[in-house]
Amino acid sequence: MAEGGNRTLTWLGGARGHLFQVVVLGLVPAVFLGTLAIIIQLAESLSLQAAGSQVETLARMAAAIHDRGLESSREALAALATDPEDDECGSHYRHFLLAVEGHYGFLRTDPSGRAGCSIAQGTDISWLTKGPQIGRAMETGAFATGPYVQLEDGRVALPMAYPILDWLGTPRGVVATARSLDHLAKAVAPPILPDGARLLVLKSDGTVLARVPALSGDAPAITPVPELREAAARGRGGSFTAIAITGETSVFGVAPLGRMAPETMVAVTMPVEMLGGSERQFLRMAVTAFGIAGSGAVLLLWYSSRRLLFQPLGRLAGAMRRVRAGDMAARAGGGIGEVGEMGDTFDTMVGALNEREARLTESEDRFRATFEQAAVGMCHTTLDRRFIRINSRFAEMLGCAPQELIGRSASDFTHPDDRKLGLDGIDHIIQGTRESNSIEKRYLRKDGTIVWANLTVSALRRDGQVEYIIGVAEDISWRKRAEDELRAAKEQAESASRAKSDFLAGMSHELRTPLNAIIGFAETMYSQVLGPMPERYREYAGDISASGRHLLGIITDILDLAKIEAGRMELDDRPMEIAPVVDVALRLLRDRGAAAGLNLISDLPPGLPQVMADERRIRQVVINLLANAVKFTPFGGRVTVSASLTPDGGLELHVSDTGIGMTEEEAAQVIEPFVQVDARIARRHEGTGLGLPMVAAIMEMHGGAIAIASQPDAGTRVTVTFPPRRIFAVTATGR
């Protein structure tokens, strides 16, 4: 007995007991009150919606009754408009006045709007001729109404007019009447308005034309209900809840009166207290039913919580205790609902932990195999660069066994000149400002030899802190040896090139002196200075002189290019004009151009600035460019020399031709020495290919540049550019 009491106390004080108390004392009352509030709110909302729909229907019915009454008035006017004129206002006017209820009388006008015959019920209706409906009916030839007007006796009437048309359809007057709102009050209030309801007719500005039933005291001319004024201004039907003029919360329904009474609305209002009797009865029944259902829910909760909550929680707690004790095979089992999902999740989590442990073991084995068998050296070090882990490749690079390196500092095996390399990068990695850092450094092997390595350093972090440094080293000693060999070969080639240039530059006197002698003797023989000689020998002497001069020109170009490459040529810079240099070059080549059927044109703009340059070398540039253009331009072509200033203050000289042109690849080759591009015309042009390379070298000495724009069979444009520092500023007088 005592044991059972202890179990009860344990249950009440345990997690399950507390959970049950919270559910019973908190959840059930909260759900009950919340549901009750929702039911009350829903019933109130449904009641107001039903009442709004009902009141809006009453307003639409009143509007329809009003429109039917006005339609009967329109039909009466249409019938009177077809009667012949009756000076005594015959029996028809009187008949319609008595037959159609709500009219003040009938009146006929002539085309000018002056009243003719009329009949009324004891009141003067001549005011009908002053309303806008008369003119509107005459203008449109159709039925027209005016706005509601309030008469002296306090009643409200709607004036109407119908045109009288002759046989041609031309208006020759109107028949007019005024319809009282009394017919609406009589037709609507007793038959369709329930007790407590009130009917209002009002204009779009909120002016009340009629209230049925009327208020006991003085009523304001404009409704004091803001919502009603807004609805009247919009001119659309609908329903809403607001405080009525009587101070009661009421439901309003509004509807427009139609096209015969524009800018006029009818409204029906009814206090909320008089609505929703059936809905309140439904609410009482619902509350009673909910109370019964709530009691049953408590009992159902006890049973279901035991099956769905307490038993699964007990199994889950037991399984957790077993796992905590190290039994990773423990399982909580499934269940229904969220607690069952918790048990399933726990079982899945334990299974995932077991799988993760197995994957970690497998991953560690793979890492160890990858680390040890990597083709590059790998190591892990502490933050102060002491080895923690070394693979065999890294140990082999240093000529040691892996166990010899553990605990040693990396600086012990680093070349003294490279010990500070990469330290800044490691600091940035530790601080988190850089992911990795790569350097090339030298290590000292155990035997004292040097090995070059490309070292990439990164870090392994846990919880934002660096655990150890990772180093990956690739042996690049072979590449360094190749670089050294390539560097030595380059230096040797440069030395040979300098020796060649020095040799060619030093051959200037040795080559030119004998050539000048050959040319001189050949010209002496050709001129027959020492006496006559056979004509054939004389021709041979001319050929020897021409060939010698050609060979001297080639040697001069080669020697000049060699001097430039050797750095022995110096410029004689002086201020010079471009135009005279161009004119001299054109005169020298004009005969050659004429023989080839070419037109040589100078298109230099006036006022070009002076250039600081070596005039002889610039003349050589222009002559070479023109000679090339003449050589590669077919018969009948054109060669043009022009110039322009660049946006940055430099000067460009252009030589354009309509010759054979080149491809982009060929244009890049022609500035190389001894290259001549002319495969498309079977290379019928002579030359050494030194013209454009000489131009490029001379312009480079002046700090300028050469550019070639060309297309096959479309000509070539060569541009040489002088930098701004060699151009004299243009003054106001043109210089």
Side-chain angles (χ1 to χ4, degrees):
M1 190 72 172
E3 184 179 356
N6 290 333
R7 285 200 300 268
T8 302
L9 291 177
T10 301
W11 183 87
L12 290 175
R16 291 184 292 178
H18 288 305
L19 181 60
F20 179 77
Q21 295 171 31
V22 169
V23 170
V24 173
L25 298 178
L27 182 60
V28 174
V31 172
F32 177 81
L33 293 177
T35 307
L36 184 60
I38 292 173
I39 292 176
I40 294 174
Q41 183 66 28
L42 180 61
E44 184 71 17
S45 176
L46 292 174
S47 176
L48 291 178
Q49 289 180 6
S53 177
Q54 178 183 358
V55 174
E56 184 180 355
T57 301
L58 293 176
R60 294 187 183 278
M61 291 175 61
I65 293 172
H66 174 272
D67 289 345
R68 284 198 297 271
L70 297 185
E71 181 63 25
S72 65
S73 299
R74 189 192 69 79
E75 293 173 354
L77 290 178
L80 292 176
T82 61
D83 286 348
E85 294 186 3
D86 186 0
D87 294 337
E88 298 180 357
C89 293
S91 59
H92 280 86
Y93 280 55
R94 187 175 298 105
H95 169 73
F96 277 106
L97 184 61
L98 296 176
V100 184
E101 183 181 10
H103 294 95
Y104 286 95
F106 294 93
L107 177 144
R108 183 194 294 269
T109 71
D110 58 14
S112 64
R114 187 171 60 251
C117 66
S118 64
I119 185 169
Q121 292 184 350
T123 58
D124 181 17
I125 62 172
S126 61
W127 58 271
L128 286 173
T129 62
K130 302 176 182 179
Q133 71 279 359
I134 303 297
R136 193 178 302 118
M138 290 289 291
E139 292 174 2
T140 62
F143 176 73
T145 61
Y148 271 105
V149 297
Q150 191 166 13
L151 304 180
E152 295 179 355
D153 58 0
R155 291 187 295 174
V156 178
L158 179 68
M160 296 173 285
Y162 200 95
I164 302 173
L165 307 177
D166 59 13
W167 65 278
L168 292 176
T170 304
R172 57 187 181 84
V174 299
V175 179
T177 186
R179 183 73 182 260
S180 172
L181 271 179
D182 291 345
H183 78 284
L184 183 62
K186 294 178 180 179
V188 175
I192 66 174
L193 285 184
D195 293 339
R198 177 171 282 103
L199 176 73
L200 293 90
V201 180
L202 62 162
K203 295 183 179 180
S204 60
D205 60 357
T207 302
V208 179
L209 301 176
R211 286 186 177 91
V212 180
L215 294 176
S216 57
D218 294 336
I222 298 178
T223 177
V225 181
E227 294 85 354
L228 186 55
R229 289 198 302 271
E230 294 176 4
R234 288 194 302 268
R236 295 194 300 269
S239 62
F240 55 88
T241 303
I243 305 299
I245 192 174
T246 59
E248 300 172 305
T249 301
S250 303
V251 179
F252 289 78
V254 294
L257 286 182
R259 62 181 180 81
M260 294 188 185
E263 298 184 356
T264 309
M265 304 286 292
V266 62
V268 175
T269 176
M270 182 178 295
V272 172
E273 286 77 3
M274 304 184 64
L275 299 170
S278 59
E279 288 80 0
R280 287 183 171 81
Q281 181 65 28
F282 167 75
L283 179 61
R284 287 194 294 269
M285 294 175 61
V287 171
T288 301
F290 185 75
I292 297 173
S295 300
V298 172
L299 297 177
L300 181 61
L301 178 64
W302 164 254
Y303 176 77
S304 60
S305 61
R306 181 177 179 82
R307 291 293 303 272
L308 303 178
L309 184 63
F310 302 146
Q311 291 179 355
L313 280 177
R315 292 196 302 269
L316 179 60
M320 292 174 67
R321 286 193 296 269
R322 291 172 58 190
V323 169
R324 184 171 57 188
D327 183 7
M328 299 302 294
R331 296 293 185 269
I336 302 174
E338 294 180 355
V339 177
E341 292 179 2
M342 291 173 60
D344 291 336
T345 302
F346 176 81
D347 294 346
T348 303
M349 181 182 66
V350 174
L353 287 175
N354 291 334
E355 293 178 1
R356 182 180 180 185
E357 183 70 22
R359 287 197 301 270
L360 285 175
T361 302
E362 182 182 357
S363 176
E364 185 176 352
D365 293 340
R366 284 200 304 268
F367 165 75
R368 185 177 296 105
T370 302
F371 184 83
E372 292 297 336
Q373 299 173 12
V376 295
M378 300 182 66
C379 66
H380 297 166
T381 68
T382 60
L383 300 187
D384 59 355
R385 303 177 64 200
R386 292 190 176 276
F387 292 115
I388 302 173
R389 191 176 294 109
I390 297 280
N391 73 344
S392 56
R393 177 56 183 155
F394 195 90
E396 180 183 346
M397 287 174 56
L398 299 183
C400 301
Q403 58 271 17
E404 294 182 63
L405 299 175
I406 301 301
R408 299 282 299 275
S409 174
S411 60
D412 295 344
F413 299 89
T414 302
H415 192 280
D417 295 340
D418 294 348
R419 286 175 181 171
K420 294 184 178 180
L421 284 178
L423 295 183
D424 293 341
I426 295 177
D427 291 339
H428 285 294
I429 292 173
I430 295 174
Q431 296 167 7
T433 58
R434 187 182 300 174
E435 292 293 330
S436 63
N437 186 54
S438 295
I439 59 170
E440 293 182 357
K441 62 179 297 184
R442 289 167 292 180
Y443 284 107
L444 293 176
R445 294 169 56 86
K446 185 177 180 180
D447 58 5
T449 58
I450 295 176
V451 57
W452 276 93
N454 184 357
L455 178 65
T456 300
V457 179
S458 59
L460 177 67
R461 296 178 180 274
R462 293 188 188 276
D463 301 326
Q465 299 295 324
V466 176
E467 185 169 334
Y468 55 81
I469 303 297
I470 302 174
V472 178
E474 179 186 4
D475 189 347
I476 59 172
S477 299
W478 62 272
R479 193 182 76 190
K480 287 297 182 179
R481 288 192 297 271
E483 289 178 357
D484 292 340
E485 293 172 359
L486 183 62
R487 188 179 302 109
K490 178 176 179 295
E491 292 175 355
Q492 184 178 0
E494 290 176 349
S495 177
S497 177
R498 286 193 298 270
K500 179 264 298 182
S501 298
D502 292 343
F503 170 76
L504 290 177
M507 290 295 293
S508 173
H509 177 74
E510 285 75 5
L511 291 176
R512 288 182 179 178
T513 299
L515 275 176
N516 285 330
I518 293 171
I519 294 170
F521 289 136
E523 289 181 349
T524 299
M525 295 172 64
Y526 182 80
S527 301
Q528 302 182 50
V529 174
L530 301 177
M533 59 185 303
E535 186 61 29
R536 177 173 294 181
Y537 290 166
R538 186 170 179 269
E539 291 178 0
Y540 290 163
D543 292 341
I544 293 171
S545 176
S547 299
R549 290 183 181 278
H550 178 67
L551 181 58
L552 180 61
I554 295 175
I555 292 174
T556 299
D557 288 342
I558 294 175
L559 293 177
D560 286 346
L561 194 59
K563 282 184 178 181
I564 294 175
E565 291 181 353
R568 293 185 178 183
M569 180 175 285
E570 296 182 359
L571 296 178
D572 183 14
D573 287 336
R574 296 181 183 180
M576 57 165 288
E577 301 280 354
I578 291 295
V581 173
V582 173
D583 292 340
V584 170
L586 288 174
R587 284 198 302 271
L588 290 175
L589 294 170
R590 194 170 301 280
D591 292 340
R592 190 189 303 179
L598 305 179
N599 186 14
L600 304 185
I601 302 171
S602 176
D603 189 19
L604 298 179
L608 286 176
Q610 287 185 327
V611 179
M612 178 64 71
D614 187 331
E615 183 173 351
R616 186 169 69 88
R617 296 301 176 184
I618 298 303
R619 186 184 305 113
Q620 185 178 1
V621 166
V622 177
I623 291 174
N624 281 350
L625 293 179
L626 285 173
N628 257 15
V630 169
K631 182 192 302 183
F632 294 102
T633 302
F635 185 86
R638 183 176 65 256
V639 177
T640 305
V641 183
S642 59
S644 62
L645 295 176
T646 63
D648 61 353
L651 177 65
E652 291 181 343
L653 186 65
H654 315 281
V655 176
S656 306
D657 62 60
T658 59
I660 61 176
M662 298 176 287
T663 64
E664 291 185 4
E665 183 178 352
E666 292 171 342
Q669 295 175 356
V670 294
I671 60 175
E672 296 295 330
F674 307 104
V675 174
Q676 187 185 51
V677 179
D678 186 18
R680 283 171 287 109
I681 313 184
R683 191 175 176 82
R684 64 171 181 259
H685 305 291
E686 298 179 352
T688 60
L690 292 176
L692 289 178
M694 182 66 69
V695 170
I698 293 174
M699 292 309 299
E700 184 177 355
M701 290 182 64
H702 284 81
I706 180 173
I708 302 176
S710 182
Q711 290 184 357
D713 302 323
T716 302
R717 176 186 175 95
V718 181
T719 301
V720 292
T721 305
F722 294 91
R725 69 175 184 272
R726 287 188 171 269
I727 308 302
F728 290 91
V730 179
T731 63
T733 61
R735 292 283 179 93

